[in-house]
Amino acid sequence: MRRTLAVSMTAGRTPVVMAAMRPVTGCRFNSSSTKDEKPADQADESKAAEQKPAEEESPLDPKDKEIADLKAKLDKKDKDLAVMKNHYARSVADFRSLQESTKKDMQKAKDFALQKFAKDLLESVDNFGRALDSVNKDTLGANPDLKQFYDGVDMTKNVFEKTLEKYGIEKINPEGQPFDPNQHEATFEIPQPDKEPGTVFHVQQVGYTLNSRVLRPAKVGVVKGEDN
């Protein structure tokens, strides 16, 4: 570095040396901010370390992977089996319900057809009974032909009644029994001192039941109570 000295002389004063400095080229100065900066290679390494992903897990062993796949398939099969069992149980329940309902419908249809047929037969049985009641039983001994005719009609009536019983049709003959509004139809009431009030003392027309259900109520006369 070159320096130029200039001496200035002033009166009564020591000379002052003035130095004129020129900037020196070729010198490199680093600011304080650059002192903290890392070298480029270290910065790249740091950046690479930050961007490096976490250590990846080691791949599964082929046997372990095969076991996991088999377990997943087994779980799926178990779920499918549970669904199939549920569908099967519902199908069985629906089929049994259908069987029961079909059985009931068939029985109802059978009872309805039999009920209609039985009502028609009851008229014939009633006519047999009326014919037998119209005969004076005192004259049967004196007239053998009438007695045979009477016995033949009575046998025919019994055959009809047994046939009806075979198909679940039973007679209701409540004479001497308490009056039951579910099975009896009271046509009249008369006081009877020697009988208990509310008791059936006369059967005007017998009734019939079909499989424990009233097919035709019995028409009866009931003993009238004193309070009525």
Side-chain angles (χ1 to χ4, degrees):
M1 179 176 59
R2 296 178 182 181
R3 296 183 179 181
T4 304
L5 300 178
V7 178
S8 175
M9 299 296 295
T10 56
R13 299 181 179 179
T14 45
V16 178
V17 180
M18 299 179 64
M21 299 183 66
R22 294 181 180 177
V24 181
T25 60
C27 293
R28 184 177 180 181
F29 297 94
N30 293 330
S31 62
S32 58
S33 61
T34 59
K35 292 180 181 179
D36 297 335
E37 292 181 357
K38 296 180 180 180
D41 54 351
Q42 294 181 2
D44 293 340
E45 289 178 0
S46 242
K47 187 174 181 182
E50 291 176 358
Q51 293 180 353
K52 184 178 181 180
E55 185 178 356
E56 296 181 356
E57 297 180 357
S58 59
L60 292 176
D61 187 82
K63 291 184 177 180
D64 295 337
K65 187 175 183 303
E66 184 179 359
I67 291 173
D69 293 340
L70 291 175
K71 185 177 180 181
K73 291 180 180 179
L74 182 61
D75 293 339
K76 185 176 181 303
K77 294 294 183 183
D78 290 340
K79 291 180 180 179
D80 294 340
L81 181 60
V83 172
M84 291 180 64
K85 285 183 176 180
N86 187 21
H87 288 324
Y88 174 75
R90 289 186 178 181
S91 299
V92 171
D94 292 341
F95 179 72
R96 289 179 179 175
S97 177
L98 180 62
Q99 279 185 321
E100 292 296 329
S101 61
T102 303
K103 185 178 179 180
K104 290 180 180 179
D105 292 341
M106 290 178 64
Q107 186 63 36
K108 287 181 180 179
K110 181 180 178 181
D111 292 344
F112 178 76
L114 185 61
Q115 178 178 353
K116 185 177 180 182
F117 176 70
K119 284 184 177 180
D120 294 337
L121 286 180
L122 294 181
E123 296 293 333
S124 300
V125 176
D126 292 339
N127 291 332
F128 282 125
R130 294 188 186 100
L132 294 174
D133 293 337
S134 64
V135 176
N136 186 358
K137 295 181 177 56
D138 296 336
T139 63
L140 293 177
N143 192 340
D145 294 337
L146 181 60
K147 179 69 168 61
Q148 290 181 358
F149 179 77
Y150 180 89
D151 292 339
V153 173
D154 188 36
M155 288 177 61
T156 306
K157 177 176 176 292
N158 292 334
V159 169
F160 266 85
E161 290 178 349
K162 288 181 180 179
T163 303
L164 294 176
E165 290 178 1
K166 181 180 178 181
Y167 290 96
I169 301 172
E170 298 180 356
K171 185 189 296 186
I172 302 175
N173 190 1
E175 187 173 353
Q177 298 178 6
F179 175 76
D180 184 0
N182 295 321
Q183 294 185 345
H184 310 152
E185 180 183 349
T187 56
F188 60 94
E189 288 182 313
I190 297 177
Q192 297 285 333
D194 57 338
K195 297 184 182 297
E196 185 178 356
T199 303
V200 176
F201 73 94
H202 175 72
V203 179
Q204 184 177 355
Q205 185 184 51
V206 295
Y208 289 91
T209 59
L210 174 60
N211 296 325
S212 301
R213 294 185 302 175
V214 176
L215 182 62
R216 188 183 72 182
K219 295 181 180 181
V220 298
V222 183
V223 178
K224 185 177 182 181
E226 295 179 359
D227 298 336
N228 295 339

